[in-house]
C-alpha cells in the first residue's frame, strides 16, 4: 500500500513544496508520485532522491491540467488500497484534489500541518490565525486526500535511486477537459526568492501608495532580503500576487521579518508566524501584528523606514 | 446567459466565533453575513449578466435558515436565489457542500457558475473544483480577470510567478480571486427591491443528495502563542532599536 503524492513541475523541476511531500510520504511508507509536467530524467531523479519509488508521469501540454490529471490519478487509485494522497497548496494541487475528490467520493482535508496514517488518516491543522489546533480523523474507507501547507515538512535528499517511471497517456476528459492555456506570463520580481530569503521586508496597506514599495525594495536590498506584501496590496494591484504572504499566498520562515503598515490579520499571520524574529512598524498601538512581534514600533512608517535606511547606509 | 453565483453566508468575521463542545462545529449565530469573498463573485456575475443580457441566480447552502447574507447579494442586483436549508446539512464537509450546490445549479440550468476562490470561514478552497467535476465542465480557478464572448470564457489565472491566459467553451465554473473586481455597494433602491426578490428553498432530499459524514474533529486544543516582545513608541529614534535588534540577531 503506497502513499501517493501529487507533484507539479514548474520551471522544469518538481516544486519545492512537492519535494517536502515526497520526503514526508517516504517517512511513512512506500511512495508513489503522480507527476504533472513535461518531465525529464533530471526531474525524476530528484523525486527518486527524495524517496519516490515509482513515478507516474502525465504531460498535459496546453490543456489545463486538473481534469485529465484527476481522471488519470483516479484510475490509478481505484485499483489500489491506498489510504492517503498528499497535495500541497499550489493552484494545480488544489484543482486536482477537488476534482479527484468528487470523482472518487473521497474526502479532502485541507490546510494540514501534520498528517499521520494508522488504520485511518489523522490530520492536524490550525484555525483562528493559529490560536487553536484541530485534529481531524477521516472516518470513511478509501483514500483520503490531504492538502498540507508549505514548509511544514522538510524536504530531504536521502540519496534514493532512480524511480520506476511510468508514462501515463493523456486521457480524454470530454467536456471537463475543454480548458486550454493559451499564454503564460511571468511577473518577475527582482532580488532573492521570497520563499528562500533569510530576510523578508513586507508591506501592507499602511504604505498608502504603490510607489512606496520602492522604499521597501531599498531596505531589502541593504539587508540582502526579499520583499513581500499582504493580500490587500496585491488585490489593490500595487504588487504582483507572487509577493503575497499568508493563507492564500506564500509561507515564509526567514530569520527576520519586517512588517511595515501591516495590521496582522490572521490570514496574513499564518504565512509568516514561523519567522525567527519579527519586527513590526504600525501607527496603531492596538494592531494585532504587535501581539507576535519581538520588536514593535508604534509610529509612522514613512518616518521610521527612511531613517532605518539611512542608518544602514551609513554603516556600509 | 444563465449565470449561477455561489454565495456563502458566514458568521460576521468581526465577531469571534465558537466551536460547540460536542461536535466542534462552528456555532453559527442566526445573523449571518455575505462572505466578502463572494461579493466579488456577485460583482463578476452582475457584470457578465449586464454584458450578455443574462440573469444572475444565487445559490447558497446555509443550514441555519438565515437570509441576511443572501439579501445583501440580492441588493447588489442579483435576480433570484436558491437557498438549501436543511438541519441535516449542519457540519457538512466540502464534498457534501459541492454535491448540494451542483445539484441545485443543475436543476436550475446554467451557462456559467461563479464562485469565490476560498471562503473566509471554511477556506478549504476546493468546492468550485468539486462542483466542476460533478457538473462535468472545466474549472477556471484563481481567475483575477475574465471575459466572455461567443460561448467562450477567458480568464487570467493567477500562478505562483505570474499568470496564464486560460480559455474554455461554456458551460464552465469560474472561481474568482478577491482582487478580480471591486464589488459595488447596494443602492437604497437595491436594498428595497431585494426584499421582494424570489428566494426558493430546497432540502438535501429535494435535490436527491444524501449527506455523508467523511471526517470527524476529534480534538481542539489551544496553541501556545508566540510571546509579544517589546513595544516602543516612536520618539524619532525608534529606528535605532531596530538597528540594535538586527545587530543582535547578526543579520548586519
Ligand atoms: C479567505 C481569505 C484569505 C486571505 N488570505 C490572505 C493572505 O494570504 N495574505 C494576506 O496578507 N491577507 C489575506 N487575507 C486578507 C486579510 O484578512 C487582511 O485583509 C489583509 O491581510 C490586510 O492587509 P493589510 O495589513 O495590508 O491592511 P490593513 O488591515 O488595512 O492594515 C493596514 C495597517 O497599516 C497601518 N498604517 C496605516 N498607515 C500607517 C503609517 N503611516 N505608518 C504605519 N502604519 C500605518 C494601520 O494602522 C493598519 O494596521 C485573506 C482574507 C480572506 C478572507
Ligand atoms: N455553503 C456554501 N454555499 C454557497 N457557496 C459556497 C458554500 N461553501 C462554499 N461555497 C463557494 O465555494 C467557494 C470556495 O469555498 P471553500 O471551498 O469553502 O473555501 C466560496 O467562495 C463559495 O463561492
Amino acid at each position: 500500500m503506497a502513499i501517493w503524492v501529487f507533484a507539479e513541475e514548474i520551471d522544469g523541476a518538481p516544486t519545492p513544496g512537492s519535494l517536502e511531500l515526497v520526503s514526508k510520504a517516504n517517512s511513512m511508507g512506500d511512495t508513489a508520485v503522480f507527476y504533472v509536467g513535461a518531465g525529464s530524467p533530471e526531474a525524476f531523479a530528484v523525486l527518486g532522491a527524495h524517496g519516490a519509488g515509482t513515478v507516474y508521469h502525465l504531460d498535459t501540454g496546453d490543456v489545463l491540467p486538473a481534469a485529465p490529471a484527476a481522471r488519470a490519478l483516479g484510475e490509478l487509485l481505484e485499483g489500489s488500497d491506498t489510504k492517503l494522497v498528499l497535495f500541497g497548496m499550489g493552484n494545480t494541487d488544489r484543482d486536482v484534489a477537488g476534482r479527484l475528490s468528487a470523482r472518487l467520493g473521497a474526502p479532502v482535508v485541507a490546510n494540514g500541518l501534520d498528517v499521520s496514517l494508522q488504520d485511518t488518516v489523522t490530520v492536524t491543522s490550525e484555525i483562528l490565525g493559529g490560536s487553536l489546533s484541530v485534529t481531524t480523523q477521516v472516518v470513511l474507507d478509501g483514500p483520503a486526500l490531504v492538502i498540507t501547507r508549505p514548509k511544514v515538512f522538510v524536504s530531504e535528499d536521502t540519496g534514493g535511486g532512480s524511480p520506476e517511471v511510468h508514462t501515463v497517456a493523456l486521457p480524454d476528459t470530454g467536456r471537463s477537459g475543454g480548458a486550454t492555456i493559451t499564454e503564460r506570463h511571468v511577473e518577475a520580481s527582482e532580488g532573492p526568492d521570497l520563499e528562500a530569503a533569510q530576510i523578508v521586508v513586507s508591506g501592507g496597506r499602511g504604505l498608502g501608495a504603490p510607489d512606496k514599495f520602492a522604499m521597501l525594495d531599498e531596505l531589502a536590498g541593504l539587508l540582502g532580503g526579499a520583499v513581500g506584501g499582504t493580500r490587500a496590496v496585491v488585490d489593490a494591484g500595487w504588487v504582483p500576487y507572487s509577493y503575497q504572504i499568508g493563507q492564500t499566498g506564500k509561507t515564509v520562515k526567514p530569520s527576520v521579518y519586517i512588517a511595515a503598515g501591516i495590521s496582522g490579520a490572521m490570514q496574513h499571520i499564518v504565512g509568516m508566524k514561523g519567522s525567527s524574529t519579527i519586527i513590526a512598524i504600525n501607527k496603531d498601538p492596538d494592531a494585532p501584528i504587535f501581539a507576535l512581534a519581538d520588536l514593535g514600533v508604534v509610529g509612522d512608517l514613512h518616518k521610521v523606514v527612511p531613517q532605518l535606511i539611512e542608518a544602514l547606509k551609513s554603516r556600509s | 446567459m444563465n449565470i449561477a453565483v455561489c454565495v456563502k453566508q458566514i458568521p460576521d468575521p468581526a465577531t469571534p466565533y465558537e466551536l460547540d463542545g460536542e461536535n466542534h462545529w462552528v456555532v453559527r449565530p442566526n445573523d449571518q453575513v455575505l462572505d466578502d469573498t463572494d461579493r466579488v463573485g456577485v460583482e463578476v456575475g452582475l457584470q457578465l449578466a449586464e454584458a450578455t443580457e443574462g440573469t444572475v441566480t444565487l445559490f447558497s447552502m446555509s443550514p441555519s435558515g438565515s437570509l441576511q447574507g443572501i439579501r445583501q447579494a440580492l441588493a447588489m442586483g442579483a435576480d433570484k436565489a436558491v437557498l438549501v436549508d436543511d438541519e441535516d446539512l449542519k457540519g457538512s464537509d466540502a464534498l457534501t457542500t459541492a454535491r448540494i450546490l451542483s445539484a441545485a445549479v443543475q436543476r436550475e440550468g446554467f451557462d456559467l457558475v461563479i464562485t469565490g476562490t476560498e471562503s473566509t470561514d471554511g477556506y478549504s478552497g476546493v468546492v468550485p473544483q468539486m462542483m466542476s467535476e460533478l457538473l462535468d465542465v472545466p474549472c477556471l480557478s484563481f481567475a483575477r480577470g475574465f471575459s466572455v464572448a461567443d460561448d467562450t470564457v477567458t480568464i487570467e489565472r493567477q500562478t505562483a510567478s505570474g499568470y496564464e491566459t486560460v480559455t474554455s467553451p461554456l458551460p464552465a465554473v469560474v472561481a474568482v480571486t478577491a482582487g478580480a473586481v471591486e464589488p459595488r455597494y447596494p443602492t437604497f433602491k437595491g436594498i428595497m427591491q431585494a426584499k421582494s426578490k424570489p428566494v426558493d428553498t430546497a432540502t438535501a432530499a429535494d435535490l436527491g443528495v444524501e449527506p455523508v459524514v467523511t471526517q470527524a474533529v476529534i480534538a481542539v486544543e489551544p496553541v501556545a502563542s508566540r510571546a509579544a516582545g517589546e513595544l516602543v513608541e516612536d520618539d524619532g529614534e525608534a529606528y535605532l532599536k531596530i538597528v540594535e535588534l538586527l545587530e543582535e540577531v547578526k543579520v548586519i
Side-chain angles (χ1 to χ4, degrees):
Chain A
M1 181 190 68
I3 293 156
W4 282 75
V5 173
F6 176 83
E8 188 190 9
E9 177 175 291
I10 294 185
D11 291 336
T15 59
S18 65
L19 295 178
E20 293 165 12
L21 298 182
V22 174
S23 290
K24 172 65 181 176
N26 188 41
S27 75
M28 295 192 283
D30 287 347
T31 304
V33 172
F34 188 81
Y35 188 72
V36 174
S40 66
E42 296 75 30
F44 302 142
V46 172
L47 293 168
H50 284 73
T54 325
V55 174
Y56 290 84
H57 168 226
L58 173 69
D59 185 358
T60 52
D62 288 333
V63 177
L64 195 64
R71 177 168 305 220
L73 179 51
E75 276 165 13
L76 289 165
L77 291 172
E78 256 158 357
S80 80
D81 54 359
T82 297
K83 284 194 171 165
L84 176 61
V85 188
L86 292 174
F87 293 85
M89 290 282 289
N91 293 357
T92 304
D93 291 66
R94 281 161 60 180
D95 283 359
V96 174
R99 292 201 86 111
L100 183 61
S101 163
R103 278 197 83 74
L104 301 179
V108 172
V109 187
N111 291 294
L113 295 175
D114 202 0
V115 52
S116 65
L117 172 62
Q118 270 94 34
D119 294 335
T120 54
V121 171
T122 307
V123 181
T124 54
S125 56
E126 286 177 359
I127 57 168
L128 298 178
S131 60
L132 285 180
S133 167
V134 175
T135 309
T136 303
Q137 195 168 53
V138 174
V139 295
L140 202 71
D141 283 341
L145 316 184
V146 177
I147 302 176
T148 57
R149 293 202 53 85
K151 295 194 180 169
V152 295
F153 308 121
V154 179
S155 107
E156 236 179 316
D157 183 336
T158 46
S162 315
E164 201 182 297
V165 180
H166 303 270
T167 303
V168 179
L170 188 65
D172 176 12
T173 41
R175 201 165 77 155
S176 276
T180 44
I181 302 168
T182 56
E183 287 167 35
R184 292 182 168 86
H185 300 265
V186 174
E187 297 171 325
S189 54
E190 286 163 29
D193 174 32
L194 184 55
E195 283 163 300
Q198 277 312 301
I199 299 187
V200 171
V201 179
S202 187
R205 191 143 46 189
L207 282 169
D211 58 350
K212 299 293 178 202
F213 262 94
M215 191 162 75
L216 301 191
D217 286 336
E218 190 175 5
L219 180 56
L222 287 162
L223 294 169
V227 178
T230 63
R231 192 176 86 175
V233 295
V234 171
D235 286 351
W238 296 2
V239 286
Y241 170 66
S242 57
Y243 280 59
Q244 186 172 316
I245 293 168
Q247 167 66 33
T248 34
K250 292 187 168 142
T251 297
V252 297
K253 290 191 172 175
S255 330
V256 177
Y257 187 87
I258 303 180
I262 292 178
S263 60
M266 59 187 183
Q267 294 93 350
H268 183 72
I269 287 174
V270 296
M272 48 65 77
K273 71 186 172 105
S275 309
S276 311
T277 298
I278 297 172
I279 300 171
I281 308 162
N282 194 305
K283 66 177 184 189
D284 173 9
D286 297 322
I289 190 81
F290 288 138
L292 67 159
D294 298 280
L295 173 62
V297 173
V298 182
D300 183 356
L301 70 92
H302 300 291
K303 295 202 178 98
V304 181
V305 175
Q307 285 175 323
L308 181 59
I309 289 172
E310 285 316 310
L312 292 173
K313 272 188 185 160
S314 65
R315 293 168 57 95
S316 52
Chain B
M1 191 164 65
N2 209 341
I3 302 165
V5 181
C6 296
V7 294
K8 193 170 182 184
Q9 302 190 109
I10 61 167
D12 191 338
T15 55
Y17 68 87
E18 286 171 21
L19 303 181
D20 87 33
E22 195 188 337
N23 299 306
H24 309 291
W25 290 335
V26 175
V27 178
R28 293 186 181 272
N30 276 332
D31 51 331
Q32 298 199 51
V33 297
L34 178 61
D35 188 335
D36 247 348
T37 316
D38 289 330
R39 293 202 308 137
V40 178
V42 174
E43 179 63 40
V44 170
L46 292 173
Q47 289 184 13
L48 293 176
E50 282 154 13
T52 60
E53 290 175 33
T55 55
V56 173
T57 308
L58 306 169
F59 291 85
S60 191
M61 186 185 99
S62 312
S64 79
S66 160
L67 273 180
Q68 190 188 337
I70 288 172
R71 294 281 179 220
Q72 283 174 282
L74 289 170
M76 286 173 71
D79 298 287
K80 53 192 192 321
V82 175
L83 173 69
V84 185
D85 175 4
D86 192 329
E87 266 300 302
D88 290 345
L89 292 171
K90 238 181 168 167
S92 290
D93 69 358
L95 186 53
T96 298
T97 305
R99 283 176 173 153
I100 289 283
L101 292 172
S102 305
V105 166
Q106 190 83 272
R107 197 173 70 164
E108 299 291 310
F110 69 100
D111 298 304
L112 187 62
V113 179
I114 296 170
T115 72
T117 291
E118 68 258 298
S119 60
T120 299
D121 64 340
Y123 55 89
S124 66
V126 287
V127 166
Q129 292 85 348
M130 290 170 169
M131 288 182 70
S132 63
E133 186 68 26
L134 295 167
L135 295 168
D136 188 24
V137 296
C139 181
L140 283 66
S141 51
F142 307 96
R144 64 171 205 190
F146 56 88
S147 61
V148 172
D150 304 330
D151 290 340
T152 300
V153 54
T154 302
I155 66 150
E156 273 184 21
R157 181 173 190 261
Q158 213 167 54
T159 63
S161 59
Y163 70 95
E164 302 164 337
T165 307
V166 179
T167 175
S168 159
L170 293 174
V173 172
V174 174
V176 299
T177 66
V181 292
E182 190 60 47
R184 70 192 66 185
Y185 285 100
T187 58
F188 180 70
K189 192 169 152 226
I191 294 168
M192 296 315 289
Q193 284 173 342
K195 293 185 176 151
S196 55
K197 284 183 176 169
V199 179
D200 272 355
T201 54
T203 61
D206 294 340
L207 297 167
V209 177
E210 178 111 32
V212 182
V213 176
T214 62
Q215 47 198 277
V217 172
I218 55 169
V220 177
E221 286 154 27
V223 178
S225 61
R226 221 188 141 102
E230 194 184 356
L231 193 63
V232 297
E233 187 90 35
D234 182 30
D235 53 0
E237 306 227 308
Y239 73 98
L240 291 173
K241 282 271 189 196
I242 301 180
V243 174
E244 245 171 61
L245 181 57
L246 293 175
E247 278 173 347
E248 202 181 299
V249 298
K250 302 197 168 56
V251 302
I252 53 170

